[in-house]
Each structure stands twice: as structure tokens, then as C-alpha cells.
Amino acid sequence: RENGKPNMDVNAIKSDVAEFAAQLGLASGGSGFDDRDFRTPPKPKQPKPTADAEDSKSNKENSKEQTTGKGKGHVKGNKFKPEVPGLKDRTWKESVGPRPAKTTTAPVARPPGQSFSRVGLNQVIDKLLDGTPWHEQLADMSELKEPTGKKGKKKGEGVSEEKQAELVKAARATAESILERLAKAYEQEHERNDPADAKWLQTVRRSGTTADKLAAWTVVIQENLPANMRSLDAVLNMSTGKGKRQAAQAVEVLCELFAGAVLPERKLLHLFERPLHLLAHGAVTGDVTHSVTHEDVRRLVYWHVEDALKTSYARFVETLGTASKDSLEHLKDKAMKASKVLLAAKPEQERALLRTLVNKLGDPSRKVASKGGYLLSQLLEEHPAMGAVVAREVEAFMFRPGLPNRARYTGIIFLNQITLKRTERDQVLAGRLIHS
């Protein structure tokens, strides 16, 4: 020990460590611990590629992409979808050969009609949601022509009643299913375009007052009648209800609707009066396997709407006749005014409406009987050509058996007040009045 520290032979210690390491094989020579055996050997540096090497690499990648379908941007699991007609959709294999080049093929020509599928029906519904009145759209469609045979005879002539009945039944079922979808599409479009207004209409129709309900129904019917046939039925039901005040309000609303754009300027036709055999079979039956045109489907829907509208209007005219005999004079007055307005505005059911007005000439109330004669005079001022028809109906009324003399007197006063002009038509009418 020197200065309190033990003596250490450094060289002897190094020699012992080197000898022990040599026994383990950890050192190749020299003295001390060598850790190079534990290190990962570095990768040799490669020289920078020349221009020729770059072109060779690019050609190699292109060749790989053409043969395997793999290259830059390839995602594992994607399948190669060949565009050559007739090849199946499968993963391309190298063993098959090179992938065929892309080819452009001409679009396949479609048949003249479009399939009555979901997509086609949605297009039809979009057209039905147009704000144009239904009868105007129907009038704008191309005219249906009867096909002719070799001898010039029309093939559609002589369609049996049994066949027509089958077509009517199938057409009505198809049209009703389309109208159901149309009603849902109308509600969805209304909610999308104006959510606040749509919510208000729903609330009013469900729990509003009578006046509010009628206003809401009037709005939707005027916007699109085919999509709101149920609203029209609701107003009709109210006009025949037990509440006299509600019935009078409903009569006034229906008169405004029917005298407006709901009815066309012609007489309505039933569905069985239409040439259903001229439509495509798929349009009538709703069969998706048949090729039909959108126009045929829309035409069928409008024909069905017209058929339903003719029935509803006849029901309303009958309601007016019943209301004109009610004990409440206010309801009588509403029915008489509605009959006159509709008779002057539309040609549908004119005979029944005229009979309702003429019958009021014999009403027990003098006020009502006088009002009936006044309305008939107003009708002739608006439509002088109806003079002969009205005079003939009044004459038939006056010669009814058992009619009170006061009713005949009212009829004579009305005939005496008819204004005649120096026309051939009025000369004939004057001679008729004199002989009667």
C-alpha cells in the first residue's frame, strides 16, 4: 500500500483480460476487448444509375403493369375489370398472357320504349309533379292512332266488352299504385322546399278549424290535383256531412275548385270510354318486362284521374240538388248559386245542374223561387246560346202533373223576361215560345 491505497499492476490486469477474451474468441489479435464482432456490417454503397439504367427500370415497371395489372397506384385486393365484351370479371394472371389493351365500344342501342322500372317510374312521377294542370298536359300529348292491318282495316276495332273490362280493371289498379307513390313524393318535395309551410299544412289538416282545413285542402288541390285526390274526397265528404254550416262552406270551396282549373273545357270521359288497347301492355298492367314509354304511363294516370274526377263531380252535383231542397234557406242559396256558376263555367253535368235551377221555380218560399228565376236570367245573359235549352226545360217543368199554379206562374214570368234578338236562333226560339 502506498498512501493508504492498494498497489495495482495495471499491465498485469490488462494481460489477464486479453488472455480471457482470447479464450472466448472475442478478439482476433492485439490486446484489449474488440466489439467489432457484434456490429452489423454496413451495406456497400451502390453507384448512381446512369440514364440507360433509368430507361431500363421504367420499361421493366411498365412490363410488370401490363402483365400482372400491378404497378404504381395498385391497391392489394383490386380486381382487374376488362373492358372487352365477353370477358369475365376476375383477377388477371401472368400465366394467361399480356393484359388486352383497352378498347372503346359503341353504346348499345335501346328499344324505342323505356322499361317500366323504378328509375323510369321516378322520372314519370317527376313529370307528374309539374304544376301544369293535368288536362293541359293530357292535351299536349301525341294523338293515339289505331294501327291498321294489311287490308287497311283497323286492328283495334271490335274490342270485346270482356277484354275492355279486364283492361279497365288492370289500368285502375296500376294507376292507383302510381298515385299513391305520387302523393308521397308530393309531400316529400313540399317538406324539402318549404318545411315550415308543409308543417303548418299538416297541423291544420289534422287539428285545425273547418275554415283552416278547407283552405289547406284548396291550396294543395290547386297545386297538384293527381297528388291530392284524397284531399278532394275529404272536401266532398264535408259537403255531405250533418253540419249545415260546414256543408255550406264546403259547397262554396268545391264550386271555386270545379269552376277553376280542376275541370277542363270539355265533358269528362270514363276510363272504359278510353282506347286502353292502344297503350302499351306494360303501361296498363305495370309489368316491368314490357317496354313502355313514359307518355303512355302518364296518359294512363291522367285517364284514371279524369275517371275519378267525373265520378266525384257527379256526386257533388247530386249533393247540390239535395242541398237545394234543404229547409235552411242559407244552404239553399249556396247550392243555387253554385249550380249557376258551374253551369256557366263548365259543360259537364249541365243537364242535372239546369234541372236543379229550374226546379227552384216551384220552391215553397217565394224568395227562393224568385232567386231561381233571377239566376236563370243571368245564365242566359252570359250564354245566350242556351236560350232554347233553358226554355225547353222550363216548359217541361210547367207541364208537370200536380204542379201548383204559383209555380207555373213563376215559370211564365221567367219565359216572358227572356231577351230576344234579331237572329235566326232567337227567331226559332220566339216561335217556340208562342206555340207553347
Side-chain angles (χ1 to χ4, degrees), residues 61-210:
E61 289 181 355
N62 293 337
S63 175
K64 181 180 179 181
E65 182 179 355
Q66 290 179 357
T67 56
T68 64
K70 297 181 179 181
K72 282 189 176 182
H74 175 75
V75 182
K76 186 177 180 181
N78 285 355
K79 292 186 177 181
F80 166 64
K81 297 182 179 180
E83 298 184 8
V84 179
L87 295 181
K88 296 182 179 180
D89 182 13
R90 57 182 175 81
T91 303
W92 194 262
K93 297 181 180 179
E94 285 188 57
S95 59
V96 178
R99 189 179 73 173
K102 296 182 178 180
T103 58
T104 57
T105 58
V108 180
R110 290 196 170 196
Q114 296 190 17
S115 176
F116 193 178
S117 59
R118 182 180 296 274
V119 176
L121 186 56
N122 289 338
Q123 295 176 359
V124 171
I125 290 178
D126 290 341
K127 188 64 177 178
L128 293 173
L129 288 173
D130 189 4
T132 308
W134 66 271
H135 49 84
E136 293 185 8
Q137 293 195 38
L138 184 60
D140 292 340
M141 294 182 184
S142 59
E143 184 180 357
L144 291 176
K145 295 183 179 180
E146 193 83 35
T148 56
K150 296 182 179 179
K151 297 182 179 180
K153 295 183 178 180
K154 294 183 178 180
K155 296 181 179 180
E157 288 183 344
V159 177
S160 62
E161 294 183 0
E162 293 79 7
K163 180 64 176 178
Q164 183 71 0
E166 293 177 1
L167 290 175
V168 169
K169 183 178 180 181
R172 184 170 285 113
T174 302
E176 286 178 355
S177 65
I178 296 175
L179 287 178
E180 289 181 2
R181 293 192 58 179
L182 177 63
K184 295 179 181 178
Y186 174 82
E187 294 290 343
Q188 293 173 358
E189 184 184 35
H190 202 178
E191 291 177 359
R192 183 171 59 254
N193 295 338
D194 195 348
D197 186 53
K199 185 176 180 180
W200 177 82
L201 286 174
Q202 290 179 358
T203 304
V204 166
R205 284 183 290 183
R206 183 175 58 252
S207 59
T209 62
T210 301

Side-chain angles (χ1 to χ4, degrees), residues 150-357:
K150 296 182 179 179
K151 297 182 179 180
K153 295 183 178 180
K154 294 183 178 180
K155 296 181 179 180
E157 288 183 344
V159 177
S160 62
E161 294 183 0
E162 293 79 7
K163 180 64 176 178
Q164 183 71 0
E166 293 177 1
L167 290 175
V168 169
K169 183 178 180 181
R172 184 170 285 113
T174 302
E176 286 178 355
S177 65
I178 296 175
L179 287 178
E180 289 181 2
R181 293 192 58 179
L182 177 63
K184 295 179 181 178
Y186 174 82
E187 294 290 343
Q188 293 173 358
E189 184 184 35
H190 202 178
E191 291 177 359
R192 183 171 59 254
N193 295 338
D194 195 348
D197 186 53
K199 185 176 180 180
W200 177 82
L201 286 174
Q202 290 179 358
T203 304
V204 166
R205 284 183 290 183
R206 183 175 58 252
S207 59
T209 62
T210 301
D212 290 340
K213 287 181 180 180
L214 290 172
W217 286 330
T218 303
V219 169
V220 296
I221 291 172
Q222 289 177 339
E223 285 184 355
N224 194 308
L225 174 65
N228 295 281
M229 293 298 292
R230 293 183 179 178
S231 298
L232 181 62
D233 292 337
V235 183
L236 282 169
N237 293 333
M238 184 176 290
S239 67
T240 58
K242 295 182 179 180
K244 300 296 180 67
R245 179 177 297 179
Q246 291 83 354
Q249 292 176 340
V251 165
E252 191 173 359
V253 168
L254 288 171
C255 177
E256 179 184 353
L257 289 173
F258 286 128
V262 171
L263 291 181
E265 299 295 333
R266 58 173 176 82
K267 290 191 175 183
L268 302 174
L269 296 176
H270 282 294
L271 192 58
F272 63 82
E273 299 177 284
R274 293 292 190 176
L276 295 173
H277 61 282
L278 297 182
L279 299 179
H281 182 72
V284 177
T285 61
D287 190 353
V288 298
T289 61
H290 288 74
S291 180
V292 299
T293 61
H294 294 170
E295 186 174 284
D296 276 353
V297 180
R298 290 192 295 117
R299 193 192 303 270
L300 175 67
V301 172
Y302 289 143
W303 284 355
H304 175 72
V305 169
E306 183 175 351
D307 177 81
L309 193 58
K310 186 177 180 68
T311 304
S312 300
Y313 187 68
R315 176 186 169 191
F316 176 58
V317 171
E318 184 179 356
T319 301
L320 291 178
T322 305
S324 66
K325 303 173 185 177
D326 195 86
S327 58
L328 187 64
E329 288 196 4
H330 175 68
L331 186 56
K332 281 184 181 182
D333 185 69
K334 292 287 185 182
M336 292 168 60
K337 288 182 178 178
S339 299
K340 181 263 172 184
V341 170
L342 295 175
L343 187 57
K346 306 295 178 180
E348 181 69 18
Q349 293 286 331
E350 57 184 8
R351 186 176 181 84
L353 292 169
L354 180 59
R355 188 182 299 114
T356 299
L357 280 179

